[in-house]
């Protein structure tokens, strides 16, 4: 640690010279501008804070990101039809073949699951990690529990598909990315719930990084006189976090070849979906994404596009797509030209993740978000630097898109109840309605005292992953909504 030189009263009179010189090299010496007003403890905290920053890396990120702002973006083209497996073109034979291929790979331990769970439920009115949130289902299960039980179910299906009745199964390893704000609470939550029936050693937690917030000209914003303001580096921080925590090696050591990546706040997420995995393996690509058809031109979702003629697929945020493009119609199909929405359900090969981690680090280009940042001058206008999970796609020589039905796989939980969309209430209804359709398809009946559109039944993920194997439980039986159906 840089030695503090002390004045006659025993307090450090000037900042450590070497550290100050390093800051000057990067134009960040203002971080020490209030040095003389700090107490000895605060001076020590400031020195530690600065010493913990990887200055050359941060400087490179700031410079590359600010410089890339002015560059013209490559022209955008619609995704070629050949890259997409749409719901209407898919045959039952294909779906069954992919399901079996996926289960086989899972039974061989080739799939791991990667959860992006750095966010707090702030917009939901909770400071807990989002995954702890209970959306009000009859079972009272949290998002984390629903996901854990879907993993348990797939493990069982995979084991049954290869060996009738011998009882052994290969655990699916679950990597969970937290942030400094959610790490401790997430670990404790899993421990206190005994990992929801999973083995403790099949779950690995790791933290995404943070990055200093900067002013428009790239200088650090000081949150307090002795601390640089920092923010999480976005869900795309997962790539550098996997690299620095050596988890890419860990995956390789476990024999993992494919990674299923998703965001925590989707109540209908099909974690470790065998059909998607089978499709991915069948196409022989390095990256894939599940997509839903955009509902209407102004919908606030990012869409997949092709960057430049013959270029890679990439995601464009809704704010970056101009009005005329958002509304453009493909004359042949009568559909939106840019219709494939990104819903943060991705599949990658492990080899490709290694390339992405190195590529993103080398290019060091982050998205700049203008935000009000808490600082010594109150809230000031500044920039947060973030990467997004979908930044990976521009590095992929081949990407396949797999259309899924929104009502079956996408129930986002983003805003508090009372908001107009993506609330716990709207997600709960999507789950109850889907499961009601499963029960009816399996020959069951429903009674209800509230109108059926406002209720339904919940099927435990331990009973059925995607509506399969329900006849024995449901046929000829009547259920009173709302209720949970377990074994």
């Amino acid at each position: 640690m840089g030695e503090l030189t002390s004045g006659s009263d025993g307090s450090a009179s000037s900042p450590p010279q070497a550290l100050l010189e390093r800051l000057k090299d990067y134009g960040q010496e203002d971080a020490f501008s209030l040095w003389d007003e700090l107490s000895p403890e605060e001076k020590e905290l400031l020195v530690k804070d600065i010493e913990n920053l990887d200055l050359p890396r941060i400087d490179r990120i700031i410079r590359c990101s600010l410089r890339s702002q002015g560059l013209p973006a490559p022209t955008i083209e619609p995704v070629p039809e050949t890259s997409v497996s749409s719901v209407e073109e898919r045959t039952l034979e294909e779906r069954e073949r992919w399901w079996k291929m996926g289960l086989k790979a899972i039974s061989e331990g080739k799939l791991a699951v990667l959860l992006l769970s750095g966010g707090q439920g702030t917009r939901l009115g909770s400071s807990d990690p989002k995954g702890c949130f209970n959306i009000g289902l009859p079972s009272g299960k949290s998002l984390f529990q629903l996901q854990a039980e879907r993993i348990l179910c797939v493990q069982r299906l995979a084991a049954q598909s290869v060996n009738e009745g011998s009882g052994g199964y290969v655990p699916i390893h679950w990597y969970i990315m937290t942030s400094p704000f959610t790490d401790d609470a997430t670990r404790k939550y899993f421990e206190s719930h005994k990992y929801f029936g999973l083995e403790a050693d099949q779950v690995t937690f790791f933290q995404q990084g943070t990055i200093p917030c900067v002013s428009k000209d790239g200088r650090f914003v000081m949150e307090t006189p002795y601390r640089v303001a920092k923010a999480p580096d976005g869900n795309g921080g997962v790539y550098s976090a996997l690299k620095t925590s050596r988890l890419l090696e860990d995956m390789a050591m476990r024999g993992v070849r494919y990674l299923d990546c998703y965001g925590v706040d989707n109540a209908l997420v099909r974690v470790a979906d065998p059909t998607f995995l089978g499709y991915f393996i069948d196409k022989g690509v390095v990256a894939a994404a599940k997509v839903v058809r955009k509902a209407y031109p102004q919908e606030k979702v990012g869409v997949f596009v092709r960057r430049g003629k013959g270029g890679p697929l990439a995601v464009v945020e809704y704010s970056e797509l101009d009005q005329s493009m958002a509304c453009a119609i493909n004359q042949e199909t009568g559909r939106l030209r840019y219709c494939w929405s990104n819903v943060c359900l991705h599949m990658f090969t492990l080899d490709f993740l290694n390339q992405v981690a190195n590529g993103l680090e080398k290019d060091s280009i982050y998205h700049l978000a203008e935000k009000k940042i808490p600082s010594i001058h109150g809230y000031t206008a500044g920039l947060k630097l973030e990467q997004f999970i979908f930044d990976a796609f521009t590095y992929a020589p081949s990407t396949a898109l797999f259309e899924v039905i929104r009502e079956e796989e996408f129930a986002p939980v983003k805003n508090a109840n009372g908001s107009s969309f993506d609330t716990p209430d709207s997600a709960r209804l999507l789950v109850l309605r889907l499961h009601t359709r499963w029960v009816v398809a399996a020959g069951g009946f429903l009674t209800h005292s509230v109108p059926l559109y406002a209720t339904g039944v919940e099927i435990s993920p331990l009973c059925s992953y995607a509506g399969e194997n329900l006849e024995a439980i449901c046929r000829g039986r009547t259920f009173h909504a709302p209720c949970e159906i377990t074994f």
Side-chain angles (χ1 to χ4, degrees), residues 266-339:
N266 175 0
L268 280 175
V269 59
R270 289 192 183 173
V271 189
D273 179 4
T275 308
F276 185 35
L277 175 57
Y279 166 74
F280 179 72
I281 294 170
D282 198 27
K283 291 293 272 191
V285 290
V286 298
K290 284 184 172 179
V291 288
V292 300
R293 215 177 267 287
K294 198 169 164 181
Y296 51 94
Q298 284 75 30
E299 190 183 7
K300 294 185 163 163
V301 288
V303 289
F304 275 93
V305 301
R306 188 183 211 164
R307 287 238 182 252
K309 269 244 176 294
L313 298 195
V315 174
V316 170
E317 282 295 35
Y318 61 88
S319 49
E320 298 168 15
L321 200 63
D322 70 60
Q323 214 34 47
S324 61
M325 287 177 100
C327 296
I329 300 289
N330 174 340
Q331 293 308 322
E332 284 171 35
T333 62
R335 294 210 185 95
L336 292 173
R337 289 188 69 191
Y338 297 95
C339 66

Side-chain angles (χ1 to χ4, degrees), residues 177-198:
M177 182 174 82
T178 62
S179 67
F181 310 104
T182 62
D183 189 72
D184 193 48
T186 304
R187 290 171 191 261
K188 290 199 168 98
Y189 189 75
F190 270 76
E191 279 163 28
S192 66
H193 289 83
K194 303 200 167 41
Y195 296 86
F196 309 105
L198 295 164

Side-chain angles (χ1 to χ4, degrees), residues 398-409:
S398 54
T399 297
L401 303 185
F402 187 80
E403 185 194 1
V404 296
I405 298 169
R406 187 187 289 257
E407 291 73 22
E408 291 183 354
E409 301 201 30

Side-chain angles (χ1 to χ4, degrees), residues 390-465:
F390 56 70
D391 290 341
F393 290 101
T394 44
Y395 293 89
S398 54
T399 297
L401 303 185
F402 187 80
E403 185 194 1
V404 296
I405 298 169
R406 187 187 289 257
E407 291 73 22
E408 291 183 354
E409 301 201 30
F410 188 49
V413 186
K414 296 195 183 295
N415 306 308
N417 283 330
S419 309
S420 45
F421 58 93
D422 296 351
T423 63
D425 280 349
S426 65
R428 183 183 80 245
L429 274 179
L430 283 165
V431 174
L432 294 176
R433 284 178 194 161
L434 174 65
H435 291 189
T436 297
R437 294 197 293 277
W438 289 356
V439 168
V440 172
F445 302 95
L446 254 74
T447 58
H448 46 96
S449 29
V450 273
L452 192 54
Y453 67 81
T455 185
V457 292
E458 173 191 3
I459 293 172
S460 163
L462 299 172
C463 292
S464 181
Y465 180 78

Side-chain angles (χ1 to χ4, degrees), residues 63-77:
R63 278 183 306 113
C64 294
S65 304
L66 285 171
R67 194 185 317 139
S68 77
Q69 279 310 89
L71 300 176
T75 51
I76 287 172
E77 297 191 350

Side-chain angles (χ1 to χ4, degrees), residues 64-108:
C64 294
S65 304
L66 285 171
R67 194 185 317 139
S68 77
Q69 279 310 89
L71 300 176
T75 51
I76 287 172
E77 297 191 350
V79 171
E81 302 281 320
T82 49
S83 308
V84 187
S85 162
S86 65
V87 170
E88 54 204 33
E89 287 167 3
R90 222 171 281 153
T91 65
L92 185 60
E93 291 78 51
E94 277 181 318
R95 290 207 318 254
E96 286 181 350
R97 186 166 60 88
W98 289 333
W99 172 261
K100 287 187 179 129
M101 280 175 80
L103 286 177
K104 182 171 186 295
I106 290 167
S107 73
E108 291 163 352

Side-chain angles (χ1 to χ4, degrees), residues 133-142 417 424-425 428-429 432 458 482:
F133 203 78
N134 159 9
I135 61 170
L137 288 167
S139 65
K141 287 172 183 172
S142 63
N417 283 330
D425 280 349
R428 183 183 80 245
L429 274 179
L432 294 176
E458 173 191 3

